Amino acid sequence: MTIQWYPGHMAKAKREMTEKLKMIDAVFELVDARIPMSSRNPMIDEIIGDKPRLLLLNKSDMADPKMTKEWQDFFSSISISAIPLNSQKGTGVQSITTAAQQLLKEKLDKMRAKGMNPRAIRGLIVGIPNVGKSTLINRLANKKIAKTGDRPGITKQQQWIKVGKALELLDTPGILWPKFEEPVTGLRLAVTGAIKDELLDFQELALFLLTYLRENYPENLLHRYHLDELHENPLDLLEAIAKKRGFLMSGGMIDYDRCAEMLLREYRTEKLGKITLERPGDFYVFKHANTKD
Ligand SMILES: Nc1nc2c(ncn2[C@@H]2O[C@H](COP(=O)(O)OP(=O)(O)OP(=O)(O)O)[C@@H](O)[C@H]2O)c(=O)[nH]1
């Protein structure tokens, strides 16, 4: 799978975010709870430096709850506080303010000790495209904030969105482009729908997904497609599913393309269940700003 990667995108995003960072106290990094590592831009640590940061595991309604807990424990073990969210419904969103206060406790306590009344914490939501940044901002603002887009020549004044008394957010999120050296990261992003479908090879994605599901969620596959067995070879498995669903072309040939598309769609719409596509143990190296090499 080849996915175009334009260094120019990242350079621009980095420049814009560096400007925004000057105005804020904390970063709210939004990731997809189904792929908490693959949906992070690895350059984020370098960009935000030592700015306090909360990790928000969005779309947790679609992730495996057991795995989400494992991910929270993992992040906690490297001193990152991670909160599961469903920005669409608002679940977990209320805890962001308290978690931000906890994160900035030392700074706020110092201000109080000096007799100052701490102002609202200023935050910036950052994340890769489609991870749910606008949905979360609208949810926190309790109204629809217009998408600003990138219209050349129009300079927009930065607006602050009040979230209660204790928190305010910049109304334009920081967009980071996904970047990956490992092909498996790209496959995970693609399966969740984070990469434009036109760029994808559905059969390759379906075979990748089937290999993972067979190993980690065999019951879900058996149950959903009424299979009698789970073939070891993912292509045989795709064929068995296609036959069960009647995806045949003239002459009885298997329509692998249609079956692959259906499988992806069913994953993305939770027909296959709540499934997380990566586990903390899959990552042996994790670099974080707070971790010394
Ligand atoms: N199931 C589920 N869907 C969500 C959640 N949050 C956002 N979505 C959906 O994810 C899609 C993308 O959400 P957006 O808020 O547009 O994402 P964004 O990060 O602002 O995207 P860009 O504008 O491309 O940067 C939309 O269809 C949302 O409805 C969530 O917590 N759960």
Side-chain angles (χ1 to χ4, degrees):
M1 184 173 61
T2 11
I3 292 168
Q4 295 283 359
W5 164 251
Y6 302 106
H9 271 154
M10 194 59 213
K12 183 166 175 272
K14 195 173 165 181
R15 241 184 356 258
E16 287 176 358
M17 206 166 300
T18 309
E19 276 310 302
K20 287 180 178 156
L21 284 172
K22 291 180 191 157
M23 298 185 263
I24 57 139
D25 305 304
V27 170
F28 302 121
E29 184 189 359
L30 208 55
V31 295
D32 186 321
R34 295 167 298 172
I35 45 168
M37 284 296 234
S38 297
S39 56
R40 308 183 70 222
N41 182 297
M43 283 172 75
I44 177 101
D45 295 334
E46 187 194 315
I47 298 173
I48 71 173
D50 54 9
K51 269 282 174 211
R53 161 245 310 262
L54 268 184
L55 194 65
L56 305 175
L57 307 172
N58 197 35
K59 306 193 185 185
S60 63
D61 51 305
M62 302 175 94
D64 177 348
K66 193 171 142 269
M67 291 307 302
T68 302
K69 177 77 185 57
E70 278 190 31
W71 275 110
Q72 274 186 285
D73 292 345
F74 166 76
F75 283 116
S76 163
S77 76
I78 52 169
S79 308
I80 297 180
S81 167
I83 306 174
L85 291 188
N86 172 353
S87 298
Q88 228 171 28
K89 291 245 167 78
T91 324
V93 167
Q94 319 82 311
S95 50
I96 295 178
T97 304
T98 324
Q101 284 169 328
Q102 195 61 35
L103 194 69
L104 294 167
K105 191 172 180 307
E106 231 174 88
K107 187 173 173 180
L108 297 175
D109 283 349
K110 268 189 198 152
M111 290 175 83
R112 285 191 196 98
K114 286 183 191 157
M116 290 156 76
N117 210 0
R119 60 162 170 74
I121 294 170
R122 290 184 174 162
L124 171 69
I125 288 174
V126 307
I128 63 169
N130 210 39
V131 74
K133 298 178 299 296
S134 305
T135 309
L136 177 60
I137 290 177
N138 287 330
R139 173 65 60 186
L140 286 167
N142 240 336
K143 61 180 179 216
K144 198 143 182 71
I145 308 286
K147 282 208 177 192
T148 46
D150 247 358
R151 281 174 296 164
I154 296 175
T155 323
K156 187 181 165 291
Q157 202 66 33
Q158 288 285 354
Q159 301 284 333
W160 292 96
I161 300 164
K162 286 204 183 309
V163 184
K165 283 201 178 102
L167 180 65
E168 43 190 43
L169 289 176
L170 269 185
D171 69 345
T172 44
I175 300 179
L176 289 165
W177 302 91
K179 174 166 171 45
F180 42 88
E181 268 106 41
E182 298 287 331
V184 68
T185 306
L187 290 166
R188 288 174 178 137
L189 283 161
V191 168
T192 59
I195 293 169
K196 278 201 181 75
D197 278 351
E198 304 92 80
L199 301 171
L200 306 177
D201 175 343
F202 278 96
Q203 277 198 39
E204 184 186 2
L205 294 183
L207 296 179
F208 165 75
L209 181 59
L210 284 175
T211 306
Y212 181 83
L213 294 177
R214 185 183 175 278
E215 199 174 310
N216 297 283
Y217 296 90
E219 289 304 323
N220 301 48
L221 268 184
L222 285 167
H223 185 253
R224 178 73 191 162
Y225 300 115
H226 309 289
L227 301 168
D228 308 314
E229 60 169 321
L230 289 178
H231 299 280
E232 203 172 327
N233 182 334
L235 195 59
D236 292 340
L237 199 46
L238 189 64
E239 184 175 327
I241 295 171
K243 283 183 179 157
K244 283 278 181 191
R245 286 288 174 105
F247 288 151
L248 302 173
M249 298 187 288
S250 57
M253 300 250 292
I254 303 283
D255 194 341
Y256 289 106
D257 279 338
R258 238 181 101 206
C259 189
E261 268 195 71
M262 177 278 295
L263 192 75
L264 265 292
R265 196 174 54 248
E266 296 217 327
Y267 171 77
R268 291 173 184 172
T269 51
E270 282 180 83
K271 298 273 186 331
L272 282 157
K274 295 185 187 296
I275 289 169
T276 297
L277 288 177
E278 62 192 8
R279 302 157 298 190
D282 296 340
F283 298 86
Y284 299 104
V285 184
F286 181 80
K287 266 188 107 175
H288 176 248
N290 297 339
T291 318
K292 297 270 174 290
D293 283 325

